[in-house]
Amino acid sequence: MIIHLEVKRFLDLEAFDHGLKVFSFRIWLRASFKSLPGWTPRLPILLDTGAPFSVLPRSFWSTLELAHQGFPTGLRGLVPGQAAVIHARFAQVICRLSDAQTISDAIPLWAFLADGEVPLVVGCSGVLDRARLTLDAAHLTGHLEFSS
């Protein structure tokens, strides 16, 4: 099964202000999550190949059915120290990834359920350990290929 990705290229405006023409890329797909009343609508979600785990904002995850309750923890990025910590719960959720034509089977994901508002992010665990990622950034195309 193949899920096509949406690859977007952005001009880095801060670099541009300094006379540099530098681009960054974002990889998007759609996902729905198992919630208490059923499945959520399919929403755009960022695929972050550098994030070990998925991240979900409180406004979103509060209605989800948790496959495993997990434990409270702190979500940290590149900035060290307590000032940059986002309080979260590490738990397991169930999702289905999709594109315009294809919807995956249910996939268990370990995720940080953030106390605050953060972007919806799918990390490596649960996705890139189950699928092959093919990315052609020059042509703004890519896909995830799940083996049968």
Side-chain angles (χ1 to χ4, degrees):
M1 170 187 38
I2 292 179
I3 303 288
H4 295 279
L5 305 171
E6 187 177 341
V7 181
K8 295 184 179 181
R9 184 174 93 151
F10 299 91
L11 177 64
D12 185 301
L13 296 179
E14 183 179 8
F16 189 74
D17 286 344
H18 293 276
L20 303 172
K21 193 173 182 182
V22 178
F23 293 92
S24 62
F25 293 86
R26 298 287 185 265
I27 305 168
W28 295 89
L29 66 158
R30 296 205 171 263
S32 58
F33 290 82
K34 192 171 186 183
S35 68
L36 298 174
W39 290 92
T40 66
R42 293 189 304 166
L43 298 170
I45 190 164
L46 179 67
L47 176 61
D48 186 343
T49 61
F53 303 105
S54 299
V55 180
L56 306 174
R58 175 180 281 287
S59 61
F60 181 76
W61 69 258
S62 59
T63 64
L64 298 184
E65 181 179 312
L66 302 181
H68 188 283
Q69 293 294 322
F71 55 88
T73 187
L75 173 59
R76 292 173 178 81
L78 296 173
V79 180
Q82 290 299 318
V85 172
I86 297 172
H87 297 285
R89 174 167 286 282
F90 190 64
Q92 192 175 55
V93 297
I94 307 296
C95 85
R96 295 188 300 202
L97 303 176
S98 61
D99 60 23
Q101 288 114 7
T102 307
I103 300 175
S104 75
D105 293 334
I107 300 171
L109 296 180
W110 286 101
F112 289 107
L113 310 179
D115 281 348
E117 293 309 303
V118 295
L120 282 167
V121 174
V122 170
C124 293
S125 180
V127 177
L128 295 183
D129 52 2
R130 286 184 165 85
R132 176 183 301 153
L133 170 64
T134 300
L135 179 64
D136 181 352
H139 294 99
L140 303 178
T141 62
H143 64 267
L144 291 170
E145 183 176 353
F146 292 86
S147 54
S148 305

